Amino acid sequence: MPSKPVDDKTPLEEAPKKKPTMLIIAFFLCFIFSVGASSGVTYFLLQPSEEDSQFAEKITEQSSQLSNVEQTLSQQDAKIKAIEEQNDVLKLYLRHSSATALKNILVDQEQNIQAYLKVMKSAMRDLSTLSPRTTDWNDEYQYQLDLALKGSLEREDLLKLLKTGEPNEKN
C-alpha cells in the first residue's frame, strides 16, 4: 500500500495558529485590565472633594465681587470726568461773568484810591515843610487822610473776601 506521504507541515501550522490567537487575546485582556485599573485609580484620585468645591465657590464669588467693583469704579470715573468738565465750564463762566468783572473793577478802584491818598499825604507833608505855621493844619488833615485810607483798605478787604472768599493780605 502506498502510503501517502505525511506532510509534517500541516500539523505544525495548526498548532502555531492557535497559540498566537490565544496570546493576542491574553495581551488584549491584559491591556483592557490595565486601562480599566489606571482609569479607576485616576478617577478615584481626581474626584473633587468638598473643600475643592467650596474653594471653587469662593473663587467664583470673589470674581463676581471683583467685577462689580470694577464696574462701580468705571461708573465713578465717568462721573468724575463729567464733574471735572462741568467744573471747567463753570470756572470759565465765573471768570467772564459780570459780577466777577464788577468785583475786579471795584478792587482796582479801591487800590487806585489808596494810591491817590498816599500821594496826597506825601504832598501835604512836603507842603507843610515849605510853609511856616502849617504843621497843625497838616496834622489835622493827615489824621483825616489816615481814616480815609483805613476805610479804603477795609472796603478792599471786603471786596476781596466777596471775590475769593479769602481775606486780603495786610501790607
Side-chain angles (χ1 to χ4, degrees):
M1 284 198 274
S3 70
K4 286 185 175 182
V6 178
D7 194 11
D8 291 335
K9 290 182 183 178
T10 48
L12 290 176
E13 286 179 9
E14 288 180 12
K17 284 184 184 177
K18 288 183 181 178
K19 285 184 181 179
T21 52
M22 290 295 219
L23 188 62
I24 289 174
I25 291 174
F27 279 131
F28 182 71
L29 289 175
C30 184
F31 175 75
I32 294 294
F33 177 73
S34 67
V35 168
S38 64
S39 298
V41 168
T42 303
Y43 178 75
F44 177 73
L45 291 177
L46 293 180
Q47 276 186 338
S49 65
E50 290 181 27
E51 292 176 1
D52 291 342
S53 63
Q54 290 175 354
F55 183 71
E57 287 176 10
K58 286 181 182 179
I59 287 176
T60 55
E61 182 181 330
Q62 288 177 354
S63 64
S64 67
Q65 288 176 352
L66 182 63
S67 65
N68 288 340
V69 168
E70 288 174 349
Q71 184 180 15
T72 304
L73 284 175
S74 65
Q75 290 173 351
Q76 288 176 351
D77 284 341
K79 287 179 183 179
I80 287 172
K81 286 180 184 177
I83 289 171
E84 285 176 349
E85 289 173 3
Q86 288 176 351
N87 188 23
D88 292 339
V89 169
L90 288 175
K91 281 182 181 178
L92 182 66
Y93 175 73
L94 284 176
R95 205 174 302 131
H96 296 293
S97 72
S98 60
T100 304
L102 184 60
K103 290 174 191 174
N104 288 335
I105 290 170
L106 291 174
V107 167
D108 288 341
Q109 265 186 332
E110 287 300 324
Q111 289 172 349
N112 289 337
I113 289 171
Q114 292 165 17
Y116 173 75
L117 290 173
K118 287 177 184 176
V119 168
M120 189 176 198
K121 277 179 68 170
S122 175
M124 287 178 63
R125 190 175 37 244
D126 290 343
L127 182 63
S128 71
T129 57
L130 293 175
S131 300
R133 296 177 300 197
T134 57
T135 56
D136 293 334
W137 170 82
N138 183 34
D139 290 339
E140 182 181 333
Y141 286 108
Q142 288 291 331
Y143 177 73
Q144 290 179 359
L145 285 173
D146 287 339
L147 288 177
L149 188 60
K150 182 180 176 187
S152 178
L153 285 170
E154 289 173 357
R155 284 190 301 274
E156 182 185 8
D157 286 342
L158 287 174
L159 287 171
K160 286 195 175 184
L161 184 64
L162 282 173
K163 180 181 172 187
T164 62
E166 297 177 2
N168 188 17
E169 296 177 6
K170 299 290 181 187
N171 292 337

